[in-house]
Amino acid sequence: MEKMVILGGAKLSGEVEISGAKNSAVAILAASILVKGKCIIDNVPHVSDIDVLLDIIQGLGGSAYFIDKGTVEIDCTNLNKYEADYETVRRIRASSYLMGALLGRFSRARVGMPGGCDFGVRPIDQHIKGFKTLGAEVEVDHGFVDLRADKLVGDSVYLDVVSVGATINIMLAATMAEGLTVIESAAKEPHIVDVANFLNCMGANIKGAGTDVIKIRGVKELHGGEFSVIPDQIEAGTFMIAAAATHGDVTITNIIPKHMESLSAKLEEMGVIVEEYDDAIRIHMDDRNLKSANVKTQPYPGFPTDLQPQILTLLTVAKGTSLVTENVWDNRFKYVDELNRMGAKVSVDGRVAAVEGCEHLQGSPVYATDLRAGAALVIAGLMAKGVTEIYNLKYIDRGYENLELKLKSLGAQIARRTVDDNKSNAV
Ligand code: EPZ
């Protein structure tokens, strides 16, 4: 087992390049299952969720490998199975996309219930509603979702909940269905647009991605091609918050500033200087106190739930009391106990956390409870006094490429150690 050791207090400064979006890349790799032909996909972050998905696709008979840094070659022409390995599927949430992709490819899919971070109940009823609307029979038994259709036929699907996963999954199943599928109340996250752009590049006919009505006219076949994944909005946001947390001066490159608007506005409200460029943002914070602010997570273009733990961590040292309301997941405050262990004053009541600003956090051993909570603890460690040790790094490794190397290049005192290497916590 490994731990991350951070000596807090260093102001981050310099330039950092953001990797490709993990949540987009996992959906695009799954979408490649629909393609008969070779796809070259660039700007793919090398994180463990991607490795798991590549394993799953290989297990289905496809060929899927990193051929260079950030570049995956994937060819699913000879894919010959519609049942994915149960144990592997349970390791990542994105395996839910196998349902839509395999159903679209074979009119048949058998996939274990997807895993992923634990934020309470993670239902898939909207995915199932969509598949049924397209003509599939769906059975859920013994941890498997079994889908079969004589043929898929387009129709209108109205989502009762704005769901990223259901929107992408229905899009995948509908890409080669007969006729027109209309998804109403669709999610609008940047990676939904990215998946639609990928499919369109390979010959699909999808219009309206990025709005709440997406129209998919089924095509007979998709062909191979090349595509580049968008930059990771959440990784970029994590670095923006880390820069502000250490009163640093950091330019975050290879990003789409438009995707960052809700965070940029919130940071400015807290007194942080945010300068936007074409494909970069500079974050600058002097030695003044941060101001408190209220944050409510919402589907895009609202404040992203995947940046909620990081912004809450920043608010622990802001002057005054802040309220953070989690509107997407019913249980995404598990990490708060860890922050409180570091001296934060946060109390949670249902979906609302009250954050009373304190002078500073104190370094301590803490445990990541999920991917973004892990990133939040790294930010806490960077701004705390003394040494913070973070355990459960497997969560952070699911979604951040070279996190500590990138932070180190900005001047952070951070290192990874094996846990029995107890001799020293020196960084
Ligand atoms: C995606 O999860 C992301 N994961 C999550 O990021 C992110 O938190 C989430 O979208 C919201 O933005 C990936 O892209 C792989 P949803 P997803 O379906 O698709 C409810 C990270 O940290 N719902 O949009 O699983 C659900 O309970 C991860 O990178 C239903 O009720 O999320 C939740 O309350 C964690 N029925 C809300 O919708 C359904 O059938 C949004 O979920 C589906 C969802």
Side-chain angles (χ1 to χ4, degrees):
M1 202 184 23
E2 291 179 314
K3 66 181 175 185
M4 214 180 263
V5 185
I6 304 173
L7 174 62
K11 291 180 188 224
L12 299 186
S13 75
E15 208 174 283
V16 64
E17 188 179 329
I18 295 306
S19 302
K22 183 266 278 183
N23 286 345
S24 187
V26 287
I28 286 170
L29 291 177
S32 307
I33 287 177
L34 293 166
V35 180
K36 286 190 178 160
K38 192 199 286 178
C39 299
I40 303 289
I41 307 177
D42 273 329
N43 210 26
V44 178
H46 205 157
V47 295
S48 67
D49 271 17
I50 296 285
D51 282 333
V52 173
L53 194 54
L54 295 180
D55 276 357
I56 293 174
I57 292 171
Q58 287 159 15
L60 291 167
S63 155
Y65 302 95
F66 272 98
I67 53 166
D68 205 345
K69 186 181 172 326
T71 306
V72 167
E73 182 184 292
I74 178 163
D75 190 341
C76 292
T77 310
N78 297 322
L79 203 90
N80 53 9
K81 291 192 195 122
Y82 59 75
E83 179 169 338
D85 176 65
Y86 183 76
E87 280 312 318
T88 322
V89 160
R90 282 174 52 82
R91 288 169 54 196
I92 57 169
R93 184 68 187 171
S95 51
S96 68
Y97 298 138
L98 297 170
M99 294 188 282
L102 291 169
L103 185 65
R105 171 82 186 253
F106 297 117
S107 294
R108 184 86 171 82
R110 189 168 156 78
V111 179
M113 284 294 273
C117 293
D118 177 9
F119 313 132
V121 191
R122 294 190 74 169
I124 55 165
D125 56 304
Q126 298 304 305
H127 305 233
I128 291 176
K129 173 178 168 176
F131 299 141
K132 283 186 171 167
T133 306
L134 298 182
E137 280 176 35
V138 185
E139 263 179 57
V140 182
D141 75 302
H142 294 94
F144 275 95
V145 188
D146 208 90
L147 307 109
R148 61 181 81 204
D150 289 337
K151 64 174 177 180
L152 296 171
V153 181
D155 204 337
S156 284
V157 186
Y158 186 93
L159 295 179
D160 304 318
V161 182
V162 178
S163 159
V164 172
T167 303
I168 291 178
N169 237 338
I170 298 166
M171 214 156 72
L172 296 179
T175 290
M176 290 194 291
E178 201 175 282
L180 181 69
T181 300
V182 181
I183 309 175
E184 297 195 56
S185 196
K188 296 183 275 209
E189 268 65 7
H191 47 296
I192 288 169
V193 181
D194 212 29
V195 178
N197 286 343
F198 166 77
L199 288 167
N200 283 341
C201 276
M202 307 304 151
N205 182 350
I206 302 173
K207 296 198 169 113
T211 75
D212 49 15
V213 181
I214 302 180
K215 295 184 176 168
I216 307 133
R217 184 156 301 275
V219 296
K220 290 254 176 315
E221 204 171 79
L222 299 180
H223 53 74
E226 291 184 16
F227 192 77
S228 186
V229 174
I230 51 167
D232 197 309
Q233 175 204 11
I234 306 303
E235 188 200 7
T238 303
F239 276 96
M240 287 168 68
I241 295 170
T246 59
H247 294 262
D249 185 350
V250 176
T251 301
I252 295 130
T253 65
N254 184 34
I255 63 175
I256 300 174
K258 172 105 190 113
H259 293 168
M260 310 312 306
E261 275 174 354
S262 60
L263 173 63
S264 296
K266 199 47 72 180
L267 289 175
E268 283 178 334
E269 192 183 324
M270 294 176 71
V272 178
I273 296 165
V274 180
E275 284 172 20
E276 275 187 18
Y277 301 93
D278 286 348
D279 60 356
I281 287 184
R282 177 180 172 217
I283 296 291
H284 183 221
M285 182 65 203
D286 58 23
D287 285 334
R288 277 174 304 167
N289 277 337
L290 291 154
K291 294 182 220 155
S292 59
N294 295 334
V295 177
K296 293 181 181 178
T297 67
Q298 301 283 358
Y300 190 81
F303 193 94
T305 172
D306 293 345
L307 287 174
Q308 178 260 98
Q310 301 91 315
I311 195 86
L312 185 148
T313 300
L314 186 62
L315 290 167
T316 61
V317 293
K319 204 170 164 53
T321 301
S322 309
L323 293 180
V324 177
T325 309
E326 174 55 55
N327 287 313
V328 178
W329 297 109
D330 57 13
N331 190 2
R332 204 174 191 173
F333 285 124
K334 284 187 180 161
Y335 64 94
V336 157
D337 288 344
E338 303 301 305
L339 283 183
N340 285 345
R341 217 196 269 247
M342 296 178 73
K345 294 181 185 148
V346 187
S347 55
V348 176
D349 183 7
R351 283 174 177 254
V352 182
V355 187
E356 197 190 316
C358 64
E359 196 82 348
H360 59 79
L361 298 181
Q362 189 63 51
S364 150
V366 285
Y367 288 79
T369 51
D370 64 65
L371 166 59
R372 308 303 171 187
L377 292 176
V378 172
I379 293 171
L382 291 171
M383 64 190 198
K385 285 205 165 156
V387 175
T388 297
E389 294 166 43
I390 304 173
Y391 295 85
N392 281 349
L393 299 188
K394 62 177 185 199
Y395 290 118
I396 298 176
D397 294 341
R398 291 176 62 166
Y400 287 91
E401 187 177 54
N402 297 331
L403 182 62
E404 68 267 25
L405 288 181
K406 289 184 181 184
L407 286 169
K408 221 172 180 165
S409 77
L410 296 173
Q413 302 282 300
I414 185 168
R416 207 176 259 252
R417 301 258 181 267
T418 51
V419 167
D420 25 0
D421 179 14
N422 274 336
K423 288 178 201 132
S424 151
N425 277 340
V427 288

